[in-house]
Amino acid sequence: MIKRATGRFEVTLVPQETEGFDEGGALGRMTIVKAYTGDIIGTSKGQMLVAMASVKTSAAYVAVERVSGTVHGKRGTFAMHHTGVMNRGAPTLSVVVVPDSGTEELVGLTGTLNIIIEKGVHSYEFDYELAPPA
């Protein structure tokens, strides 16, 4: 049965050196640190790669973060994979749980996370399932 967890998160992005990786400035790398509140209580750390385009309203990013904490009171860790594209101002975003990445009480976790940004506040809707233990 699919459950929904909702809440907010604070995010800190810290640009990292590309060390000659992209001398034109169109590619970037950042670390991600998040603090989740609501139905998910915990923190995450991750890495992001960004590609900017010559059109300022077009770009793309990929990221992976590892969340540590609780989901509706169940403790453990899990990883999420992000793929985001902005095509001349039209955004698409996919954030999914990495298969078999759940630990402890989150073993068997699958799901998708929807990020909502309104008036500078980040919130989430996390639709997930937990497979019963084998």
Side-chain angles (χ1 to χ4, degrees):
M1 177 169 91
I2 296 175
K3 295 182 180 180
R4 175 167 281 182
T6 61
R8 294 184 175 178
F9 66 92
E10 304 238 348
V11 61
T12 302
L13 300 172
V14 179
Q16 302 296 304
E17 291 291 323
T18 57
E19 301 172 24
F21 176 63
D22 180 46
E23 298 192 21
L27 297 178
R29 184 171 65 90
M30 294 182 231
T31 58
I32 306 165
V33 176
K34 290 183 183 173
Y36 286 92
T37 59
D39 296 329
I40 299 173
I41 298 173
T43 59
S44 77
K45 292 182 180 181
Q47 295 277 324
M48 175 188 292
L49 295 174
V50 181
M52 283 75 69
S54 59
V55 175
K56 293 198 183 289
T57 55
S58 294
Y61 88 94
V62 295
V64 176
E65 66 177 296
R66 174 150 313 272
V67 179
S68 177
T70 61
V71 179
H72 281 135
K74 296 201 179 282
R75 179 162 299 288
T77 65
F78 62 96
M80 289 193 288
H81 173 264
H82 301 230
T83 303
V85 175
M86 181 73 75
N87 184 350
R88 295 184 181 243
T92 58
L93 178 62
S94 169
V95 183
V96 299
V97 173
V98 174
D100 298 315
S101 65
T103 67
E104 299 179 49
E105 294 176 297
L106 299 177
V107 169
L109 181 72
T110 60
T112 60
L113 185 107
N114 181 34
I115 295 174
I116 303 151
I117 305 171
E118 293 179 347
K119 296 180 181 176
V121 175
H122 291 76
S123 59
Y124 64 86
E125 296 172 334
F126 182 48
D127 293 331
Y128 72 95
E129 290 186 275
L130 255 174

